[in-house]
Amino acid sequence: MDERWQKMNLTGLPAGIGNNVEEFSSWYCGHAERVRSLIDKNPLQTLVEIDIEDHMAGTRMAEMFGVEEQCWGHANVNANIHPELDGDEVGLAMKFHKEKRRDSKQAKQMKGSGLRAGVVHNATSNYSDDGDDGESDDDDYDNNYNEKDEQNGNDGNGLYTDQYEIENERSVSTFRNRSCFIAQKSNITKSQYGQLSTPFINLGMPKMGSSSLHKFFRCGKVQSSHYLCKGNGFDESRTCRQCIVNAIERGDPPLASCGDYDAFMQIDDGSNLPQISHLKEIHEEKPNATFVLTFRPIEDWYRSLSNWPPKKMYASMRDRMQKANIPGFPSGRGKNTDEFAEWFCGHVDNVRNFVAQNPSHTLVEVDITDPTVGDYMAEAFGIKSSCWGHANANPVLKEKLREDEQNERDDIDLVDAEKVDEGESQK
């Protein structure tokens, strides 16, 4: 196709141009800028920009177009180049990680704003092409990219393994019995079921089920926000975290200007956490709010932070949180599971103590790995249990789990086959 395009004398790409990435990128950039300029001049039209490799693309498309998120997926993959993919983006992330990193380095040299997807916008919106979104999309990943992933424990497929897992196995047992690692269902009584006061505000940590909570409440017809609080654009100014900070800096209540929501399921941006730094201000505005606090096995949480986002051309959420200087978690902390576990434990204790001192709030603690969590959520919030389900799972880790399970089945089949052969030989 590239050779045919070079001969077609396309608008902005005259015949003979397109011999390398730079020439194609310059043409693409010009096209993007022309489209944006056209929309600016014709405000009755709306432009939706989509980065198809953004791991939150499905969620964004679902929210904007009202179509089920599972309808999103890659199609029309070139089977001659990637015969093993069969349209599987997980395979793409795992098998072509190094190629992606190479392309990322090249992309850094291309400064045109037309090369990055921005926001839903028209002439009345303030356009920004530096918008990121999702549980981990809060920074400019290019600035945080670490070229020495393999030396730091990344196995080249986007998975942190070996030294991290060995290092952390030693203390896994210590995370089983302390109360700060165990969700308490006794915080609410049956008389409160279905009668909890809004807004519902998630005070849990990133990668602790916020997407699942958001989908649960939306399924239950509760107006819920997740990461974004202002409009459908994806620049930082529309995040809940930035909205809260801006309001507090103006001397205003933190949530009043952040949308007419009955549920705020992610108010942090992955490394800046208002649920820690601005809990007092949230309480003063919403003294009867219902707080939600999520739990999962700490070793699983640490592994999830270490492997998110699944495309490891970007710094992991764990690495970024280590540098963020979060209250109770100063820069440099977070080198292992123990340090993350102690920080999490401190956060749980602080939230429980805060609610004990301010009993106008109700605290709902949720173990997202509990097989009965759907029934518990249904009783507590009066929403059908079928609305509960895991969302925003790491596809790379899920693929690794499937491979491990298949290897285990293959080993069993091999042992069974050897037993059959042995029996036949004895005959």
Side-chain angles (χ1 to χ4, degrees), residues 416-427:
D416 290 342
E418 289 175 348
K419 289 180 178 179
V420 171
D421 291 342
E422 182 179 351
E424 291 293 336
S425 64
Q426 289 177 354
K427 292 180 180 179

Side-chain angles (χ1 to χ4, degrees), residues 113-127:
S113 65
L115 296 177
R116 297 186 63 187
V119 301
V120 180
H121 67 110
N122 53 33
T124 61
S125 65
N126 296 319
Y127 173 71

Side-chain angles (χ1 to χ4, degrees), residues 398-409:
K398 289 177 71 176
E399 177 69 12
K400 184 175 185 293
L401 178 60
R402 286 195 293 268
E403 289 180 354
D404 291 343
E405 291 174 343
Q406 182 60 52
N407 290 337
E408 183 177 348
R409 287 193 293 269

